[in-house]
Amino acid sequence: MTKDNKLLKVKTYFLIISLTVFILSLTQTALTYNDFDGQKTHSSFALLLMGGLAILGGGTLEWLTWLANPIYFSALILFYKSDKKSIKLSILATIIALSFRSWKEILAAESGRTAAIERLNAGYWLWTFSQIILSIGTIYYFTQLSNKNINENKH
């Protein structure tokens, strides 16, 4: 197998694994929070669908966190096309996803009421892990591609 074929195979694996973990995250609960009427949860799928609307209810920070999703998908597409911009976008999506760990509360209602985050569940961690996988994949792929090009130019 040639170096080009190995790199293509590695890129394909990273794309498939990252996207599979992302899809798996959608089947899980993302977070648990304490609202005025008890403990509640949000599914990852619901957050994916509704997160983009958070800005309409005053959830600017929630919306900014949700932006990790379109950034992640842009990085996936660019990585598929072997565009180096995918490195920066995948790292940005990962940073945004990881930054959510520092949150203590979320917007619980459009009225502006907030609720304390009790815990981040499997959906959040899988979502974040899918972005970390993509970041590692883009960095690895383009590093190997660069090394291959350097070695070819030496000969």
Side-chain angles (χ1 to χ4, degrees):
M1 185 180 292
T2 68
K3 183 79 168 175
D4 287 338
N5 286 343
K6 286 180 185 176
L7 276 176
L8 181 60
K9 199 172 190 178
V10 165
K11 180 173 85 168
T12 303
Y13 285 149
F14 274 108
L15 284 166
I16 290 170
I17 292 168
S18 178
L19 195 53
T20 300
V21 171
F22 183 90
I23 292 167
L24 181 62
S25 79
L26 298 177
T27 68
Q28 305 297 310
T29 300
L31 60 91
T32 302
Y33 64 98
N34 291 314
D35 203 1
F36 71 91
D37 59 347
Q39 195 175 72
K40 294 188 177 183
T41 61
H42 276 306
S43 77
S44 296
F45 187 67
L47 290 176
L48 175 66
L49 293 178
M50 301 304 291
L53 300 175
I55 198 163
L56 300 176
T60 306
L61 288 176
E62 287 83 355
W63 180 74
L64 289 173
T65 301
W66 176 83
L67 281 178
N69 293 311
I71 293 169
Y72 166 79
F73 284 111
S74 297
L76 275 174
I77 292 165
L78 290 174
F79 186 37
Y80 177 77
K81 293 179 177 183
S82 297
D83 187 328
K84 281 186 92 169
K85 292 177 197 155
S86 62
I87 296 171
K88 290 179 182 176
L89 288 178
S90 64
I91 290 171
L92 178 60
T94 300
I95 290 168
I96 292 170
L98 287 170
S99 74
F100 188 71
R101 289 179 39 234
S102 67
W103 286 38
K104 302 294 180 227
E105 55 187 26
I106 60 166
L107 186 66
E110 289 180 11
S111 67
R113 186 180 80 247
T114 59
I117 297 172
E118 184 175 310
R119 72 180 163 273
L120 300 173
N121 299 322
Y124 166 78
W125 293 109
L126 289 167
W127 174 67
T128 303
F129 191 51
S130 72
Q131 295 173 32
I132 291 169
I133 292 167
L134 184 62
S135 293
I136 292 169
T138 59
I139 292 167
Y140 179 80
Y141 174 79
F142 287 108
T143 300
Q144 293 300 310
L145 187 62
S146 178
N147 290 342
K148 175 188 153 298
N149 292 338
I150 289 169
N151 289 335
E152 286 177 355
N153 290 335
K154 285 181 180 178
H155 296 110

